[in-house]
C-alpha cells in the first residue's frame, strides 16, 4: 500500500509530507526531488523506481504530488487516489497552488489522516468529509450524539455520498450533457479516428433520499423496447433512427451497476449538489461539427503558402461559438501575412502558430483564411514536421446524437412527486483533440 | 488567517521560543506554536527536542490541536520511546470517548506509534474497538490490526486478533468488510501458507455481496482479494465472473482494472466453447478502450496492462487498432506505449493503416519516439509478410530524409528484414551504401557491415567499403569489430583472389593487436579454419542462418501468467514479477493462472486447491523467472520454505530448471569451444549433466542424512571444518557458520544456523550472488521448524553450478544473502576449489600430452609444498579422493613425477605435474591451465588435501 505522500513546489521544496509506513524514510523525500523534479525533462514516466522505492507522481500547475511505496501496490488505485486527493483539496480551498497549500497545511494533514489509513484509501467523498472535517475543531465537539452517529454511518455507509435529512423548498435538478468530440483527419479529408467522450453532469437540489432513474436514447434499450413492447414495427424503426450506439460507459459510484448490467437501466440515489453521473464513449455516426480543408504549398525554400477552409456541418439555425483554428508555422518563420474573410487572425511567434478566432458561426457556412509565410533560410537538414492543424469550438448540441429521454425522481417518504421537480437539460459539444493533418 | 507564514521562520533560537509558546496558558498561542512545529517538521527540520512540550498539549478538547499533536507523535515517538509512554494514558482514555470520531482517531494513531512499550497498551483498547458499536470505529480498528501485525506479528497472533478480524468479514457494514479484507490480505502475504483468508464459496459470496455496496476503494480491496481465489470448477468460476462484470462500468479505473484481473484469471477455467466465454471476451474490450480516455498517468498504467492482455489474449482487442493511434499531444510515455501495442495488434487486415501512421510518427520531434516508430516499421515487415515490400519502401523514403538517427535506425531494421526475407530486397543495398559516412552509432555500423559482408558478391566495391572501416579498427566498439571481422572473412571466402591482404590485415588486428578475448578467440578460430580447411570454413562461415522469429520481445509465458495475476499493480507496470522490486517476504509468492477443471471432475478439497494446487498446476518444464531481472543479491525471489505440507514440488521445479540450465550451459560451451582443449570440455559436458540433475532429486534424502550425521564424509574427501561466516552481531542474532563439501558428486554447503536472539526465527531463504563458477542453491533452505532462541540447526544445502556466472575477486569468493522473518543479511565466504573437481576428471594420456604441450609455458605456475611427509602413492590416493586423478607416474633419478588432471564443473581442465623426492618433505608443483587464475587456488587445494 501507499507508504507515504509528499507534496512539493516547483523547486522541489516539501510542502506536505506524510509517512504511513515504516519502510519509507525521510531520504525518500529527497530521492524524488533529486531524481525526478530536478531531472526536469529526463524522467519520462509517471511511475519511477528509485533505489528500490516506487514513486508515483502527478502534477497540478507547478505542484508535484508524489505517492511512495516499497510494495507491489495497485498502481491504478494510487493514481485514482492522487486525482481524488486533488479533487478533495480543490473542493476545500480552490486552486491547488503553493500559496493555498501552505495556507491550508493543517487542513491537508487532517484530510490525509482521514482519507488514507496505513496507506489504504478510505472514504474520500467531499460531501461526507465536509460534515466532520471543518477546520473548526471546537465545533465538532458539540455535535450531538445523533449527529455523530449520522456522520459515521454516512462515512462508512452504503450511501456514503449523501446524508439524510436534506431539505429544499424547491426541488430542482440540472442535467448537462457535455461532450468532447475528437477527430484525426488526413489531409485528404479521410477520418482516421473519431470519437466522442461525453459526460452527464448533474446538479441535484432534491429533498430526502430520492430514487432516480435516468433514460437516454441508448440503442440497446430502444431496440429491446421495440421488440418486447407493443409498438409497431414502424415506430420501432423511427425511434431506432434516433438511438445511438454507446461503445462503453462508466458510472458514478451511486449508480447500481448490477442493475445496469442486467436491465441496462440507470438507477441511483444522487449525491447532493454537483457531480458526474456518467461518462460514455461513442464512435459511430458522429456528427463532426466542422470540417477543415488545409492546403499548404511550399514555394521555394523560403516561402510557404497556406490556405485553410472551414465548413460548419450542422443545422443552420444553430450557432457555434468560440471557434479557434490553430495553424502551426515552421520554427524559422520570419514573417506572416494573413487574410481572412471572417473573424480575426494573428501570427503568434511565441507559439509558432497562426491563431484564427471567430466568435460565432451558423451551421452550413464556410469560411476561409489564407496566409503567406516567409521563412529564414536554414541549414537544418531535418524537414519541418508539419504538426496538425487543430481546432477549438463549442456547439449547442451533442455530436454523438445522445438525447436525454427522461429523469424520473421518486421519493416515497416525502410528499413530492416526479412532476413537482423542476428539471433542466442542456447539451454542449466541445472540441476535444480535433486535428487535421496537413 | 494565513498559515503559510509558518513556513518562513528560520531564525536562531527558534526552538527556545517555540518551547515557551507551547507552554503558554493561552489556547490560541499553544495551537499556533504546534502549527509552527508541524511546519518545521514538514520541511525536514529536527524538532524532536520539543517532544515533552508538544505531548503536554495532547490533553485538550480541541480536536484540531489533538490531531496535530498526534501527527507529531507519529513522527517522533520512535526516537523518544520513553517519553512517548507519557501519551499512552490519553490514548486509552480517548478510546473510551463517547464520540466515535475520537475513539477511531485514538486507535488509528496508536497503531502508527511504533514503540514496543506502547503496543502492549494498545491491545486492550483495540480489542474493544474491534467490537465497537460504531462501524466507523470498527473499520479503523480493522486496519489497526494490520498495523500492529507489522510491528509485532507474534503479539497479534497471541492476542487472537486474527480471528476477530476474520469475523469482521461477515460484518453488516460493507466498509468494515472491505478494510478487514485489506488487512487480512496484507497479513496473509507474510504467511503464504497460513490459509488466513480461508476463501471458500461462502466467504466469497459474502465478499461479492459487499462488493456491490462499499466505496470504490473497498471494491478494489475486495476484487484484489478475489483474484487470489481459485474457484473449484468452471461453474463457480462463471458465477463469480457474472457477478464481477458489472464493475467494468465503474468510473474508477482501478476498480475496472481489478475486475479485469479477476475476469482474465477466472476465464482460464472456462471451456472455450462455452457461449459465456465468448460473451465475456466481448465485454472486456470496451472498458479497456475507455481507460484510454482517462488522465495520462492512468492511461500509462492501462497501456502497460493492455500490453500484457494483448499478449495473453490477442482476440480481445484485435479490432481496436485505431484507439491506439498516437495523438500529437499525448505525453511521451503514452506515445511509446501506444506504439508497442500497435505493433502487437498489427495484422494483414490493418497493416496499411498502421504503416501510414508509423510513417507519420517518423517525422515527429521526439528522438526516442521517432526511433521507435522506425523500428516498428521494421517489425511490421517481419510480422506481416504481405507488407514487407511496402515497409521497405517506407524505410527507403525515410532514409532519403537524411535525418541522421532515422537513417541509422532504418539500417538496423533493414538488416533484420534481410534476415527474414533473404534474397528479396537486396536491390536497396546501393541506397544504403550511400549513407555509410553518416553512421556513427555502433549498432547501425555493425548492421551495415553485416549487410556488406553478407552480400559481398553483389557489391562491387565491398572490399573498399570494408577497408574503409578497418582504418579505425581499434576505435570501434566490440560489436562493430566482431562484425567487421566476420564480414571480411565472408568477403574473403566469396572473393578469395582480391581480398587476401585484407583478411590477413583484419586477422592480425583481431588476434595480435587486440586485448578483447572475444575478438581474439573469434579471430583465431577463423584463422585456423581458413588455414587448415577452407572448405570447412566456407561451410561454417557461410552456413545458412536460421530464420528470425516474428515476435522477439514477447514476455516469457510463465512470467506473463504471473503478471496477468498482477494486473493493475506495479508489477504489471514494470513488467517484472513483484519479487524483483519488493524487499523481504512480501509478494514473493509466484502466482499462476488456474488450470481448467470441469465441474464433474473436481476432487480436491477447496483448501488443498488453494495452496498445493498452485504448485501442481504449473507445467513441469517451465523456466522459473528466478533472478534474471536484476540478478543481484537483493533480489530474493526464492519462495520461503514451506514449513508444512509436501516439500517435494519446489525441489522438482528446481530440477526442471537444472535440466534446462544444464542444456543451456552445454550449448554455450559449444559456442565457445573453438580451441581443442575446450572441445574436450564440450565432449564431456553432457556427462556432467546427470550429476547436477540428480542433485535436487536426492536432496531430500541427503538432508535426512545430514541432519543425523552432521559432518559425515561418504567419499572421504577432505572437508574444511566449519568457520563462522556471519557473526551474530552483524545479523540481528543469527549466527551462521559453515563449510563446503562434495559428496556423491553433489556440491553441498553445510550450514549451522544458530539463533542468538531473543525471538523465534523462521521463513529462512538463501540466495547467492553471481559468482565465478555459477554456484547456486539447488533447492530451498530446508529449515524444518522455526528456530527457537539459543537453538542451532545443522543443514546441508545442495548446490548446482548452473547459476549465473560473474567473475569474482578472489575467484572463489561467494556472496550470500540469507533471509529470515527479521531481515536480509549478506556475507561472503570462500569455497575451496576442490569442491568443483568433477568425478570424470581423468584425462586420456594422449590428450594430456597434447594439451600440456599446447598450453603455452607462460601460463604454467610453479609452487612448492613444504613439510609434507607422504610418499607419492599415498599422496596420489589421497588426492584421488578429492577427484584429482593421477594419469601417469614417472620416476627419474629418485624423483617421482606424478601427472595429474582435474576437471572443473564448468569444463575447464587443469593439468598438474607433482614432483615428490623420497625423503624430502618439499614437493614441487607445476600447474598448467588455460585459465591461469585457477592455478593459485589449485595450489591451495593441494596444500589442504595433502596436509590434512
Amino acid at each position: 500500500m501507499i507508504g507515504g505522500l509528499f507534496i512539493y513546489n516547483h523547486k522541489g521544496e516539501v510542502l506536505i509530507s506524510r509517512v504511513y509506513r515504516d519502510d519509507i524514510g525521510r531520504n525518500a523525500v529527497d530521492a524524488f526531488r533529486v531524481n525526478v523534479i530536478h531531472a526536469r525533462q529526463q524522467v519520462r514516466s509517471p511511475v519511477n523506481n528509485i533505489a528500490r522505492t516506487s514513486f508515483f507522481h502527478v502534477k497540478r500547475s507547478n505542484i508535484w504530488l508524489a505517492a511512495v511505496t516499497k510494495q507491489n501496490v495497485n498502481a491504478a488505485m494510487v493514481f485514482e487516489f492522487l486525482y481524488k486527493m486533488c479533487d478533495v483539496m480543490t473542493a476545500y480551498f480552490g486552486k491547488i497552488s503553493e500559496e493555498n497549500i501552505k495556507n491550508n497545511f493543517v487542513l491537508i494533514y487532517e484530510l490525509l489522516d482521514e482519507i488514507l489509513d496505513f496507506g489504504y484509501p478510505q472514504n474520500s467523498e467531499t460531501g461526507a468529509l465536509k460534515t466532520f472535517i471543518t477546520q473548526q475543531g471546537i465545533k465538532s465537539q458539540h455535535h450531538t450524539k445523533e449527529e455523530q452517529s449520522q456522520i459515521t454511518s454516512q462515512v462508512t455507509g452504503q450511501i456514503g455520498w449523501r446524508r439524510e435529512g436534506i431539505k429544499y423548498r424547491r426541488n430542482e435538478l440540472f442535467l448537462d450533457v457535455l461532450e468532447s468530440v475528437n477527430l484525426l483527419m488526413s489531409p485528404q479529408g479521410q477520418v482516421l479516428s473519431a470519437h466522442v467522450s461525453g459526460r452527464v453532469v448533474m446538479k441535484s437540489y432534491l429533498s430526502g433520499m430520492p430514487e432516480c432513474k435516468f433514460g437516454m436514447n441508448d440503442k440497446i434499450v430502444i431496440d429491446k423496447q421495440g421488440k418486447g413492447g407493443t409498438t409497431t414495427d414502424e415506430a420501432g424503426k423511427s425511434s431506432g433512427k434516433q438511438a445511438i450506439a454507446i461503445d462503453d460507459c462508466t458510472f458514478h459510484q451511486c449508480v447500481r451497476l448490477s442493475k445496469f448490467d442486467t436491465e441496462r437501466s440507470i438507477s441511483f440515489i444522487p449525491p447532493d449538489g454537483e457531480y458526474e453521473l456518467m461518462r460514455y464513449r461513442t464512435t459511430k455516426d458522429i456528427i463532426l461539427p466542422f470540417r477543415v480543408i488545409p492546403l499548404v504549398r511550399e514555394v521555394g525554400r523560403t516561402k510557404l503558402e497556406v490556405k485553410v477552409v472551414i465548413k460548419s456541418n450542422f443545422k443552420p439555425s444553430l450557432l457555434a461559438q468560440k471557434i479557434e483554428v490553430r495553424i502551426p508555422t515552421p520554427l524559422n518563420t520570419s514573417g506572416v501575412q494573413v487574410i481572412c474573410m471572417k473573424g480575426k487572425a494573428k501570427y503568434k511567434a511565441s507559439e509558432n502558430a497562426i491563431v484564427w478566432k471567430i466568435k460565432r458561426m451558423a451551421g452550413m457556412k464556410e469560411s476561409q483564411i489564407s496566409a503567406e509565410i516567409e521563412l529564414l533560410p536554414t541549414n537544418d537538414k531535418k524537414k519541418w514536421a508539419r504538426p496538425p492543424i487543430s481546432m477549438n469550438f463549442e456547439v449547442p448540441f451533442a455530436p454523438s446524437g445522445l438525447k436525454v429521454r427522461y429523469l424520473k425522481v421518486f421519493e416515497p417518504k416525502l410528499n413530492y412527486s416526479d412532476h413537482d421537480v423542476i428539471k433542466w437539460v442542456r447539451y454542449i459539444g466541445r472540441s476535444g483533440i480535433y486535428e487535421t493533418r496537413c | 488567517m494565513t498559515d503559510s507564514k509558518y513556513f518562513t521562520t528560520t531564525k536562531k533560537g527558534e526552538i527556545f521560543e517555540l518551547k515557551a509558546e507551547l507552554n503558554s496558558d493561552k489556547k490560541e498561542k499553544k495551537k499556533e506554536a504546534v502549527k509552527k512545529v508541524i511546519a518545521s517538521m514538514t520541511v525536514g527540520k529536527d524538532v524532536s527536542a520539543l517532544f515533552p512540550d508538544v505531548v503536554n498539549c495532547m490533553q485538550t478538547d480541541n480536536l484540531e490541536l489533538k490531531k496535530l499533536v498526534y501527527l507529531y507523535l507519529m513522527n517522533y515517538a520512535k526516537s523518544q520511546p520513553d517519553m512517548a509512554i507519557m501519551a499512552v494514558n490519553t490514548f486509552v482514555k480517548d478510546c473510551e470517548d463517547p464520540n466515535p470520531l475520537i475513539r477511531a482517531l485514538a486507535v488509528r494513531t496508536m497503531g502508527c506509534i511504533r514503540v514496543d512499550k506502547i503496543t502492549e497498551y494498545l491491545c486492550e483498547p483495540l480489542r474493544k474497538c474491534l467490537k465497537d458499536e460504531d462501524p466507523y470505529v470498527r473499520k479503523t480498528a480493522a486496519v489497526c490490526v494490520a498495523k500492529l501485525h507489522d510491528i509485532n506479528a507474534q503479539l497479534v497472533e497471541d492476542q487472537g486478533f486474527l480471528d476477530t478480524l476474520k469475523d469482521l468479514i461477515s460484518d453488516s457494514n460493507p466498509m468494515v468488510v472491505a478494510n478487514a479484507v485489506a488487512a487480512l490480505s496484507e497479513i496473509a502475504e507474510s504467511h503464504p501458507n497460513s490459509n488466513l483468508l480461508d476463501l471458500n464459496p461462502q466467504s466469497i459470496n459474502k465478499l461479492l455481496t459487499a462488493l456491490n455496496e462499499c466505496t470504490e476503494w473497498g471494491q478494489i480491496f475486495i476484487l484484489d482479494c478475489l483474484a487470489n481465489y481459485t474457484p473449484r470448477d468452471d461453474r463457480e468460476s462463471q458465477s463469480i465472473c457474472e457477478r464481477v462484470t458489472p464493475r467494468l462500468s465503474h468510473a474508477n479505473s482501478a476498480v475496472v482494472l481489478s475486475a479485469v484481473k479477476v475476469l482474465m484469471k477466472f476465464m482460464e477455467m472456462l471451456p472455450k466453447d462455452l457461449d459465456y466465454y465468448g460473451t465475456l471476451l466481448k465485454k472486456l474490450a470496451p472498458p479497456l478502450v475507455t481507460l484510454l480516455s482517462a488522465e495520462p498517468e492512468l492511461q500509462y498504467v492501462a497501456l502497460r496492462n493492455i500490453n500484457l492482455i494483448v499478449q495473453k489474449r490477442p482476440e480481445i482487442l484485435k479490432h481496436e487498432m485505431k484507439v491506439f493511434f498516437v495523438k500529437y499531444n499525448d505525453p511521451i510515455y503514452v506515445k511509446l506505449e501506444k506504439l508497442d501495442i500497435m505493433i502487437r495488434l498489427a495484422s494483414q487486415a490493418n497493416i496499411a493503416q498502421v504503416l501510414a501512421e508509423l510513417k507519420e510518427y517518423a517525422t515527429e520531434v521526439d528522438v526516442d519516439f521517432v526511433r521507435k516508430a522506425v523500428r516498428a516499421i521494421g517489425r511490421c515487415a517481419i510480422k506481416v509478410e504481405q507488407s514487407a515490400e511496402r515497409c521497405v519502401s517506407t524505410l527507403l523514403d525515410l532514409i532519403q530524409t537524411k535525418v541522421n538517427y532515422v537513417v541509422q535506425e532504418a539500417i538496423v531494421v533493414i538488416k533484420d528484414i534481410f534476415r527474414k526475407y533473404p534474397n528479396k530486397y537486396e536491390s536497396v543495398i546501393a541506397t544504403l551504401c550511400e549513407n555509410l559516412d553518416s553512421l556513427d552509432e555502433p549498432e547501425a555500423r555493425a548492421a551495415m557491415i553485416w549487410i556488406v559482408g553478407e552480400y559481398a558478391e553483389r557489391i562491387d566495391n565491398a572490399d573498399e567499403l570494408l577497408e574503409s572501416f578497418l582504418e579505425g579498427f581499434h576505435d570501434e566498439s566490440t560489436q562493430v569489430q566482431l562484425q567487421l571481422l566476420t564480414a571480411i572473412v565472408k568477403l574473403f571466402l566469396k572473393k578469395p583472389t582480391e581480398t587476401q591482404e585484407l583478411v590477413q590485415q583484419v586477422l592480425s588486428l583481431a588476434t595480435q593487436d587486440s586485448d578483447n578475448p572475444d575478438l581474439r578467440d573469434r579471430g583465431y578460430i577463423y584463422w585456423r579454419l581458413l588455414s587448415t580447411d577452407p572448405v570447412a570454413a566456407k561451410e561454417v562461415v557461410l552456413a545458412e542462418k536460421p530464420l528470425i522469429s516474428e515476435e522477439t520481445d514477447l514476455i516469457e509465458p510463465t512470467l506473463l501468467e504471473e503478471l496477468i495475476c498482477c494486473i493493475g499493480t506495479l508489477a504489471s507496470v514494470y513488467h517484472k514479477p513483484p519479487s524483483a522490486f519488493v524487499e523481504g517476504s512480501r509478494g514473493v509468492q509466484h502466482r499462476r493462472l488456474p488450470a481448467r477443471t470441469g465441474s464433474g471432475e473436481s476432487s480436491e478439497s477447496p483448501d488443498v486447491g488453494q495452496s498445493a494446487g498452485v504448485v501442481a498446476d504449473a507445467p513441469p518444464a517451465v523456466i522459473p523467472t528466478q533472478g534474471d531481472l536484476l540478478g543481484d543479491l537483493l533480489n530474493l525471489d526464492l519462495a520461503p520454505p514451506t514449513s508444512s505440507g509436501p516439500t517435494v514440488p519446489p525441489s522438482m521445479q528446481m530440477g526442471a530448471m537444472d535440466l534446462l540450465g544444464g542444456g543451456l550451459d552445454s550449448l554455450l560451451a559449444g559456442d565457445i569451444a573453438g580451441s581443442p582443449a575446450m572441445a574436450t570440455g564440450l565432449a564431456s559436458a553432457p556427462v556432467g549433466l546427470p550429476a547436477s540433475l540428480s542433485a535436487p532429486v536426492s536432496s531430500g534424502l541427503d538432508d535426512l542424512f545430514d541432519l543425523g550425521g552432521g559432518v559425515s564424509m561418504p567419499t572421504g574427501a577432505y572437508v574444511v571444518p566449519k568457520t563462522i561466516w556471519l557473526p551474530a552481531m552483524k545479523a540481528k542474532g543469527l549466527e551462521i557458520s559453515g563449510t563446503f563439501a562434495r559428496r556423491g558428486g553433489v556440491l553441498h554447503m553445510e550450514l549451522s544456523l544458530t539463533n542468538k536472539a531473543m525471538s523465534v526465527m523462521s521463513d529462512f531463504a538463501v540466495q547467492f550472488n553471481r559468482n565465478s563458477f555459477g554456484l547456486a542453491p539447488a533447492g530451498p533452505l530446508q529449515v524444518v521448524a522455526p528456530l527457537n532462541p539459543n537453538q542451532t540447526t545443522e543443514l546441508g544445502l545442495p548446490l548446482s553450478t548452473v547459476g549465473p556466472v560473474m567473475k569474482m575477486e578472489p575467484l572463489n569468493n561467494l556472496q550470500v544473502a540469507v533471509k529470515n522473518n527479521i531481515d536480509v543479511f549478506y556475507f561472503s565466504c570462500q569455497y575451496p576449489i576442490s569442491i568443483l573437481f568433477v568425478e570424470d576428471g581423468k584425462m586420456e594420456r594422449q590428450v594430456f600430452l597434447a594439451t600440456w604441450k599446447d598450453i603455452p609455458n607462460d601460463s604454467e605456475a610453479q609452487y612448492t609444498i613444504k613439510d609434507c611427509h607422504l610418499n607419492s602413492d599415498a599422496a596420489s590416493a589421497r588426492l584421488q579422493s578429492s577427484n584429482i586423478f593421477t594419469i601417469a607416474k614417472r620416476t627419474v633419478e629418485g624423483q617421482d613425477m606424478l601427472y595429474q588432471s582435474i576437471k572443473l564443473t564448468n569444463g575447464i581442465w587443469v593439468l598438474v605435474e607433482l614432483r615428490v623426492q623420497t625423503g624430502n618433505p618439499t614437493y614441487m608443483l607445476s600447474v598448467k591451465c588455460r585459465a591461469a587464475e585457477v592455478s593459485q587456488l589449485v595450489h591451495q587445494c593441494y596444500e589442504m588435501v595433502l596436509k590434512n
Side-chain angles (χ1 to χ4, degrees), chain B residues 323-552:
Chain B
V323 297
F324 297 103
F325 283 178
V326 170
K327 292 181 190 137
Y328 191 75
N329 292 321
D330 279 337
I332 182 69
Y333 53 82
V334 169
K335 284 185 177 175
L336 294 171
E337 293 307 318
K338 279 188 173 172
L339 204 49
D340 254 347
I341 294 168
M342 280 174 70
I343 301 163
R344 292 209 194 284
L345 290 177
S347 67
Q348 206 184 330
N350 56 25
I351 194 75
Q353 263 186 325
V354 174
L355 264 183
E357 281 296 305
L358 291 177
K359 196 176 172 186
E360 196 73 35
Y361 304 159
T363 60
E364 278 225 33
V365 194
D366 191 282
V367 177
D368 287 344
F369 180 59
V370 171
R371 279 175 185 273
K372 198 160 182 175
V374 176
R375 219 159 255 234
I377 297 176
R379 278 172 63 187
C380 283
I382 289 162
K383 199 174 167 191
V384 186
E385 182 157 4
Q386 293 79 359
S387 75
E389 194 156 346
R390 212 166 337 155
C391 294
V392 171
S393 77
T394 309
L395 286 170
L396 284 180
D397 287 350
L398 290 173
I399 288 176
Q400 298 303 347
T401 63
K402 303 274 178 202
V403 178
N404 190 294
Y405 53 85
V406 174
V407 174
Q408 310 210 42
E409 208 64 46
I411 284 177
V412 173
V413 293
I414 285 181
K415 182 200 79 178
D416 289 341
I417 296 177
F418 282 177
R419 287 241 10 221
K420 171 84 181 179
Y421 310 108
N423 304 316
K424 224 169 163 187
Y425 300 109
E426 282 71 20
S427 53
V428 309
I429 290 176
T431 323
L432 302 187
C433 290
E434 286 165 21
N435 293 288
L436 221 54
D437 300 333
S438 61
L439 308 182
D440 52 12
E441 289 162 22
E443 203 183 350
R445 284 172 85 85
M448 192 64 217
I449 292 168
W450 183 87
I451 292 171
V452 175
E454 189 68 14
Y455 298 102
E457 69 274 27
R458 306 187 202 187
I459 306 172
D460 294 333
N461 59 344
D463 48 344
E464 283 169 35
L465 293 177
L466 292 176
E467 201 172 358
S468 69
F469 281 102
L470 212 51
E471 279 161 22
F473 188 78
H474 288 298
D475 303 327
E476 299 282 2
S477 73
T478 314
Q479 189 185 12
V480 180
Q481 288 176 333
L482 286 169
Q483 210 50 261
L484 194 53
L485 173 62
T486 308
I488 292 179
V489 172
K490 280 183 191 163
L491 172 71
F492 172 70
L493 289 168
K494 286 174 178 174
K495 302 180 183 172
T497 44
E498 311 119 71
T499 56
Q500 190 137 17
E501 216 171 290
L502 192 62
V503 81
Q504 226 130 52
Q505 203 184 338
V506 77
L507 285 175
S508 80
L509 278 171
T511 54
Q512 283 157 18
D513 303 341
S514 170
D515 299 330
N516 186 320
D518 289 344
L519 185 63
R520 237 173 13 211
D521 282 357
R522 194 185 282 194
Y524 278 124
I525 293 168
Y526 284 146
W527 202 322
R528 268 179 220 165
L529 265 174
L530 291 174
S531 58
T532 49
D533 191 350
V535 181
K538 216 165 184 164
E539 271 170 31
V540 172
V541 180
L542 302 180
E544 220 167 275
K545 279 159 271 308
L547 284 184
I548 54 175
S549 73
E550 292 180 4
E551 303 254 359
T552 44

Side-chain angles (χ1 to χ4, degrees), chain A residues 49-104:
Chain A
N49 194 313
I50 304 159
R52 302 183 73 75
T53 308
S54 297
F55 294 82
F56 299 76
H57 73 263
V58 300
K59 246 188 119 178
R60 289 289 179 268
S61 62
N62 53 15
I63 296 295
W64 299 72
L65 276 88
V68 191
T69 182
K70 283 205 163 183
Q71 295 166 33
N72 183 29
V73 298
N74 188 320
M77 184 187 80
V78 176
F79 280 124
E80 284 285 3
F81 177 79
L82 287 174
Y83 301 143
K84 191 62 155 202
M85 174 79 205
C86 293
D87 291 347
V88 171
M89 289 198 289
T90 315
Y92 265 95
F93 53 74
K95 196 172 164 275
I96 296 176
S97 64
E98 182 171 351
E99 190 61 26
N100 278 347
I101 286 172
K102 281 183 170 174
N103 279 334
N104 293 285

Side-chain angles (χ1 to χ4, degrees), chain B residues 831-893:
Chain B
Y831 47 90
I833 198 165
S834 59
I835 61 162
L836 299 171
F837 298 172
V838 296
E839 281 68 20
D840 60 339
K842 189 160 185 174
M843 209 178 225
E844 288 295 318
R845 276 176 186 233
Q846 298 304 320
V847 182
F848 185 93
L849 223 59
T851 315
W852 184 272
K853 278 185 194 156
D854 202 51
I855 300 178
N857 278 336
D858 50 349
S859 45
E860 176 173 343
Q862 305 263 7
Y863 305 96
T864 52
I865 302 173
K866 286 180 185 149
D867 300 325
C868 190
H869 300 284
L870 297 168
N871 68 21
S872 62
D873 288 338
S876 174
R878 190 176 275 195
L879 290 167
Q880 177 124 14
S881 66
S882 292
N883 291 342
I884 300 172
F885 299 96
T886 307
I887 293 163
K889 181 179 161 186
R890 250 190 335 156
T891 312
V892 183
E893 296 163 7

Side-chain angles (χ1 to χ4, degrees), chain B residues 612-634:
Chain B
V614 176
V615 182
D617 286 342
V622 293
I623 310 168
T625 53
Q626 193 176 353
D628 48 3
L629 284 158
L630 286 171
D632 62 357
L633 270 176
L634 296 165

Side-chain angles (χ1 to χ4, degrees), chain B residues 721-867:
Chain B
K722 284 182 180 169
T723 50
I724 292 184
W725 283 337
L726 182 69
M729 302 233 315
K730 285 191 179 168
K732 301 186 180 164
L734 175 66
E735 183 181 278
I736 300 178
S737 58
T739 184
F740 293 90
R742 182 180 185 88
R743 269 181 278 111
V746 183
L747 298 180
H748 282 272
M749 188 180 206
E750 316 247 305
L751 291 166
S752 300
L753 306 180
T754 310
N755 182 352
K756 297 197 168 174
M758 306 302 282
S759 57
V760 176
M761 295 177 180
S762 61
D763 299 344
F764 284 93
V766 69
Q767 193 168 2
F768 295 173
N769 202 355
R770 296 164 184 226
N771 53 70
S772 315
F773 295 95
L775 289 185
L781 198 58
Q782 310 239 347
V783 183
V784 182
L787 200 55
N788 291 319
N790 280 325
Q791 195 190 354
T792 298
T793 180
E794 312 258 343
L795 44 102
L797 177 70
L799 308 180
S800 72
T801 53
V802 292
V805 174
M806 187 176 78
K807 198 175 163 185
M808 299 297 294
E809 191 57 47
L811 210 57
N812 58 340
N813 195 20
L814 181 65
Q815 297 178 335
V816 184
V818 170
K819 183 203 76 88
N820 61 15
N821 56 336
I822 297 168
D823 205 347
V824 184
F825 311 107
Y826 307 100
F827 62 86
S828 64
C829 53
Q830 292 179 9
Y831 47 90
I833 198 165
S834 59
I835 61 162
L836 299 171
F837 298 172
V838 296
E839 281 68 20
D840 60 339
K842 189 160 185 174
M843 209 178 225
E844 288 295 318
R845 276 176 186 233
Q846 298 304 320
V847 182
F848 185 93
L849 223 59
T851 315
W852 184 272
K853 278 185 194 156
D854 202 51
I855 300 178
N857 278 336
D858 50 349
S859 45
E860 176 173 343
Q862 305 263 7
Y863 305 96
T864 52
I865 302 173
K866 286 180 185 149
D867 300 325

